Amino acid sequence: MPTDRAIARDLEPVAGRALRDHLRKARTWDPDEHRPRGRNIADRHGIHLVAPIPESDVGTRRMLTALALLEHDLPAWHRALCAAFGREGAWGAWIGRWTAEQGRHAIVLRDYLIGTGIADPAEFEAARLARADAGVRRPAADAGPLPALVYATLAHAAIRTAYRRVGARSTQPATERLLRRVAADENLHLIFFRDLTAAALALAPDAGMRAVAEVVAGFRPPHAALPGFGREAAIFAAYGGYDPTVHLTEVLLPTLRMWRVPDRELGPDGERARAALDAYLDEQAARCRAGSALPLAAAG
């Protein structure tokens, strides 16, 4: 079985091609395009940026705050990816580009929260510093290249889904436009990690399937780790931003199909991992049908 170092090395040509494809597709944009400037002042697209999100729209306010704090976890993510893949060659180039694009999300979301009055600047900064001081970690992302790729894929699928759902339900055109823009970036990041995971499964099928089974079973959406959000799980689910059924049907199952998990040829170790994964998915589907699945914002 290839070692972690060998897997990262053997995947580097694939990472280089995926990076070039990403650079062809990615759009450079300026966070200033979405910065609130004052009431009833239209931006260059003729959309009023400032209409405050009503206090009654709890789902949008909570989800935007959660997503903004998550985007500020960037240093922890950067460290994990560098540890898994190194800082040189195609991997280093990808990590640098990915970090720059994710940093843009952190900038624009914070500016939007403060500019629209959703978040108090001092309170948001205190929350950001508290998370940094606590040393936010994603254990699966720290466990080597295979778990890191699986986890990064699922995390990007989850946060892209959250951005799309919150944006689609927003009553404010500016909010919807902002979240659509960020979701488009997250989708390109998802494609990179999803395709690299597929290549890893082809390279090391049994070890890859074991990583998939372990990460899927232990995965919680990124916002589940936010302090205080457990008690607001019902708000997230009722609003439709992200609940267990969405997680299963819009994140897990489509991703596993893209990886051809059901029909990959495996050895005995990989078959056992796939059987465990199938059992987990069947259990989650049954819980969703019964309405007894653990609220995802309360997990982790």
Side-chain angles (χ1 to χ4, degrees), residues 110-240:
R110 182 192 181 279
D111 285 353
Y112 194 77
L113 286 173
I114 303 305
T116 56
I118 294 174
D120 175 82
E123 291 178 0
F124 185 86
E125 182 62 6
R128 187 189 70 82
L129 289 175
R131 286 181 65 74
D133 289 342
V136 177
R137 293 184 66 248
R138 306 291 183 201
D142 292 328
L146 292 174
L149 286 172
V150 176
Y151 183 86
T153 301
L154 295 180
H156 282 82
I159 203 165
R160 179 203 62 177
T161 299
Y163 280 127
R164 286 178 171 177
R165 293 178 71 84
V166 175
R169 286 172 175 254
S170 174
T171 60
Q172 304 300 328
T175 303
E176 191 276 335
R177 187 168 65 90
L178 166 61
L179 296 186
R180 187 173 66 245
R181 177 62 260 163
V182 176
D185 282 0
E186 295 291 353
N187 189 61
L188 291 180
H189 298 165
L190 163 62
I191 290 170
F192 179 96
F193 287 114
R194 186 190 66 199
D195 290 354
L196 264 293
T197 305
L201 281 164
L203 180 68
D206 284 9
M209 191 61 65
R210 189 167 59 249
V212 170
E214 291 173 355
V215 174
V216 166
F219 184 83
R220 297 293 180 267
H223 66 258
L226 288 170
F229 274 79
R231 63 179 179 271
E232 296 167 354
I235 293 174
F236 280 76
Y239 178 71

Side-chain angles (χ1 to χ4, degrees), residues 15-90:
R17 291 192 295 272
L19 173 59
R20 290 191 292 273
D21 186 56
H22 175 83
L23 294 175
R24 284 194 298 269
K25 295 176 180 177
R27 175 195 155 191
T28 299
W29 55 279
D30 186 346
D32 194 59
E33 297 173 21
H34 300 271
R35 193 189 309 276
R37 302 180 189 281
R39 291 187 182 279
N40 297 323
I41 296 177
D43 73 353
R44 71 192 71 173
H45 301 283
I47 297 174
H48 293 290
L49 290 175
V50 194
I53 295 174
E55 291 287 346
S56 60
D57 194 349
V58 176
T60 298
R61 299 173 73 91
R62 294 296 190 192
M63 288 293 282
L64 281 175
T65 302
L67 292 167
L69 284 171
L70 290 170
E71 295 290 1
H72 281 80
D73 288 345
L74 185 57
W77 271 101
H78 181 88
R79 287 195 301 271
L81 291 177
C82 286
F85 302 107
R87 302 181 182 183
E88 306 300 327

